[in-house]
Every structure is written in C-alpha cells, then in structure tokens.
Amino acid sequence: MKMTFRWFGSKDDTVTLDQIRQIPGITGVVGMLTDIPAGEVWSEERIRELVVEVNSYGLELEVIESVNVHEDIKLGLSTRDKYIENYKKTLKNLSKYGIKVVCYNFMPVFDWTRTDLAKELEDGSTVLSYEQKLIEEMDPDKLVEDIQGGSKGLSLPGWEPERLKKLKELFQLYRDVDEDQLFENLRYFLERIIPTAEECDIKMAIHPDDPPWTIFGLPRIVTNKENLGRILKLVDSPYNGLTLCSGCLGANPNNDIADMIRTFGDRIHFAHVRNIKIHPNGDFDESSHLSSDGSLDIFEIMKAYHDIGFKGYIRPDHGRMIWGEDARPGYGLYDRALGIAYLNGLWEAIDKMKRGV
Ligand code: CS2
Ligand code: MN
C-alpha cells in the first residue's frame, strides 16, 4: 500500500506540505483543484503547477480527490455530453502529469452530509456528527447554510455555493430520477469515460455515499455491497473501480467492510480508512481511528487489505480536531497524522506476525 494524505492546496489548506512530509511513512498527497467548478476542464497548466509544487517537497501526487461530476450527468440531461467530453479532457491532462487514480462520487446534489461540524466529545476534541432526526426536520437550504457557515472560510468540496444556489430547481429535476435511473445515468457516464481512463492508464475510483442512505428523498446508490458489485459490472474493466471508504459505508452496521475488501479485491484502487461511533438509534459521531474509540474494527479492515495484498493508495480519512488546532472540519493535521501512525503500526504488526518474524 502507498500511504497518502489529503491536501487541498497551499491557498486552501491550513496544513502545509512541509508538515505533511514529516509524517512517518508518507509517500504522497491526494490533491485537488478546489476552485474549478464541476464540469470544467482542468488545464494542463494548473495541473503542472500543482504537481511541481507537491514534488518539490519530495512527495508524490498520483491521486486526485475529486474530479467532481457535473449535476447534469447525474441527472441524465441532454446537456451531459458536453460535460462528459470535458471530463475526458481532464483525464487526458491529468495523465500527462503522472496521475494514476481519480476519485469521484455520484451523489445527487449533496456530497457528504453532517448535522454538526464541531460536536464536542468528552475529552474536549470536536468531531463531525450526524443526527437523522435533525435532517428529517431540516429544510435543505438550512443544511447548506449550516455547512457552509462551519467551513471557517475554507472551501468545502462538494458544497460549492454557486451550484447550491439552485437547490429548489435541482430537487425538482431529481423528482424523475429513481435509483434505477441513477444507475443508468452512471452507466452512460462510465461507458464513455472508461475507454479514456484505459488509454490514459488512470483508474477511476467511485467514492461511497455519505451517509449511505437516501436523504431528503434524493436517490443514493453507492451504499452497500450489492450495489458496489452492480456498479463494477456496469463496465467490467479494472479501470472502473472503487474508493472504499470505511467510515461512509460503515455508518450502516449491515455493511461488513472487511468482507467488501475481500470481495472487491483489486478493484479497490483507493482506501479511505476511518472510524465512527454509531449510537443505538443509528446516529453517529466520527471518532479517532482507534478501533476501541469507534464501532468499526480497524484491525480487521487493515488485515483484510493485507490479506488481499493491497497495492493501492490509502489515506486516513477525517480526523478529530485536537490540541487546539483550527482547520477545515475533518481535515486537521494532528489527528490524521495519528491515524497514519496507527494504520502503519497495524500494517507492520500484521505483516510481521504473518511472516513469523
Ligand atoms: C468526503 C468526500 O471522503 C471524504 O472525505 O469528505 O467529500 C469525498 O472526498 C468525496 O465524496 C469524493 O468524491
Ligand atoms: Mn472518504
């Protein structure tokens, strides 16, 4: 596996490359151009600048999270072809600068959803958390306001103000899109971009829906083992693969992450490992990566990756805000760096015990 760290760029992140390169075992960062709206081409020049900057710190940039998919593609509107062509151009441009994996998601309207971006835990740390009842009672406009209000002035990918201004219109358009239609719209997209991904040697890795169930009546399909299998079959190519995010899928206790890892094996190109604490009523708080702090068994997850001989990219996912850090919710330095130390520790132990060292 190749240990990486998500970084939003020097103008849009409180964490610096200088800090990231000092994390033990780190090989590179997962990058993004946060200011390019979904549907527009990422220019060669901007990609080159980013890669050169990251490389100058001795770090690789081989994974992009995300190249976001324009809403018209998810909706299946006739205007989608133009955006699909742009997506292909972006892939071609990325491939010229050594990008190997592109993570994306196919969630209608909203990306990740939380009801609190800074819930205080007993130890004084703060985390992102989700309460179903609040979502049920909330107007979607209020959710957008709350999330954007909690961003501390940093961009929150998936929550771009321009796009979300048209919320009512978007909800109207999704009235005709059920889960099967969303699968068809994903098929249409994959059938067109996977040949380009193959040519460019870029593995596409769809990210699960967060949380993995319907919110505000909008369809969500990247939610469980059966659907992940169905997605991989839409276009049966190794270039049509997965980002397996333990914290997203794990919010549904019926999802067995270790089993998914063993099942999907080398179709997993990118691993997001994080823990969450699920409450008896199904609500959840994010937690530190440690198994005993949450509801997921991170040892079992790392063991499953080891068992399949995972060679892909991995990153710790959201961390808590600790030690007085002031950063983008979920994306501070300290707790994610602790997460890396823990994941590397598990890996070394699993590896040496298996080999009888
Ligand atoms: C989430 C998502 O996994 C995560 O950290 O915050 O925003 C994720 O990056 C996207 O859904 C991937 O497209
Ligand atoms: Mn994730």
Side-chain angles (χ1 to χ4, degrees):
M1 63 173 189
K2 276 189 151 190
M3 185 56 75
T4 60
F5 193 88
R6 190 175 192 188
W7 183 65
F8 293 90
S10 40
K11 294 198 186 79
D12 204 9
D13 208 318
T14 55
V15 184
T16 64
L17 292 171
D18 236 342
Q19 293 169 323
I20 296 172
R21 68 177 175 159
Q22 294 173 354
I23 301 171
I26 198 84
T27 65
V29 299
V30 171
M32 180 180 187
L33 296 175
T34 55
D35 59 324
I36 302 188
E40 283 184 25
V41 179
W42 292 26
S43 71
E44 275 197 51
E45 197 189 334
R46 292 290 311 277
I47 297 167
R48 188 188 319 113
E49 262 171 34
L50 180 65
V51 173
V52 167
E53 186 183 8
V54 170
N55 289 167
S56 72
Y57 286 81
L59 294 162
E60 293 171 348
L61 181 72
E62 296 184 344
V63 185
I64 296 293
E65 174 177 352
S66 302
V67 179
N68 285 331
V69 176
H70 194 275
E71 212 64 50
D72 290 10
I73 298 175
K74 293 182 249 176
L75 279 161
L77 301 182
S78 54
T79 38
R80 66 183 152 180
D81 291 332
K82 170 175 90 194
Y83 297 116
I84 292 175
E85 282 314 306
N86 286 354
Y87 208 100
K88 290 200 234 169
K89 278 186 207 142
T90 295
L91 290 181
K92 283 183 189 149
N93 289 347
L94 288 169
S95 74
K96 291 182 193 148
Y97 296 93
I99 305 304
K100 297 284 171 224
V101 171
V102 166
C103 168
Y104 69 103
N105 72 74
F106 216 70
M107 279 176 262
V109 189
F110 304 114
D111 196 312
W112 52 275
T113 299
R114 295 290 182 275
T115 49
D116 193 344
L117 299 186
K119 177 173 172 181
E120 197 168 321
L121 301 185
E122 263 172 35
D123 63 4
S125 59
T126 65
V127 294
L128 286 85
S129 91
Y130 182 89
E131 275 184 61
Q132 183 67 27
K133 196 161 156 283
L134 290 180
I135 290 287
E136 279 160 17
E137 289 166 354
M138 201 184 279
D139 185 54
D141 279 310
K142 172 81 170 57
L143 177 71
V144 173
E145 213 177 278
D146 285 358
I147 295 223
Q148 287 168 349
S151 73
K152 304 180 178 176
L154 299 155
S155 76
L156 287 180
W159 291 89
E160 311 82 19
E162 283 314 307
R163 187 175 58 88
L164 293 172
K165 262 187 208 147
K166 299 187 211 126
L167 215 53
K168 292 233 156 45
E169 229 177 273
L170 280 175
F171 268 81
Q172 195 72 13
L173 289 166
Y174 272 105
R175 281 201 320 197
D176 301 329
V177 183
D178 61 9
E179 286 192 6
D180 282 333
Q181 188 58 51
L182 194 58
F183 267 111
E184 279 318 303
N185 297 346
L186 177 57
R187 178 204 303 282
Y188 186 97
F189 173 62
L190 289 174
E191 279 174 350
R192 280 150 191 84
I193 61 153
I194 295 300
T196 306
E198 285 170 349
E199 262 166 51
C200 294
D201 193 21
I202 289 184
K203 304 259 171 57
M204 296 300 298
I206 195 166
H207 188 283
D209 302 342
D210 186 5
W213 53 75
T214 294
I215 54 160
F216 301 121
L218 295 164
R220 285 192 158 193
I221 55 174
V222 197
T223 52
N224 57 36
K225 185 178 174 187
E226 188 193 338
N227 285 12
L228 292 179
R230 190 168 158 192
I231 289 165
L232 294 182
K233 284 203 193 82
L234 289 175
V235 174
D236 207 1
S237 156
Y239 288 83
N240 174 27
L242 305 174
T243 296
L244 204 90
C245 180
S246 66
C248 293
L249 291 163
N252 178 349
N254 298 326
N255 283 336
D256 179 342
I257 310 300
D259 171 56
M260 289 181 185
I261 295 166
R262 293 179 212 283
T263 305
F264 300 121
D266 58 8
R267 295 289 284 273
I268 302 171
H269 303 311
F270 190 20
H272 284 185
V273 183
R274 68 178 161 90
N275 208 346
I276 44 167
K277 179 86 187 162
I278 308 176
H279 301 296
N281 69 353
D283 292 342
F284 62 88
D285 297 332
E286 296 188 355
S287 65
S288 89
H289 287 70
L290 196 70
S291 299
S292 55
D293 273 351
S295 303
L296 303 182
D297 188 333
I298 303 296
F299 166 79
E300 279 301 332
I301 290 172
M302 293 307 285
K303 181 157 181 308
Y305 278 120
H306 196 281
D307 288 347
I308 66 164
F310 183 64
K311 298 258 171 352
Y313 301 87
I314 183 168
R315 72 166 178 82
D317 213 338
H318 309 171
R320 301 164 303 150
M321 217 46 76
I322 58 171
W323 302 337
E325 188 174 13
D326 190 16
R328 174 187 274 99
Y331 286 101
L333 169 66
Y334 304 143
D335 204 38
R336 286 190 295 154
L338 288 176
I340 288 189
Y342 173 58
L343 300 180
N344 279 334
L346 286 173
W347 191 264
E348 180 177 339
I350 294 163
D351 192 59
K352 289 190 171 161
M353 290 190 82
K354 270 196 195 174
R355 290 192 284 123
V357 179

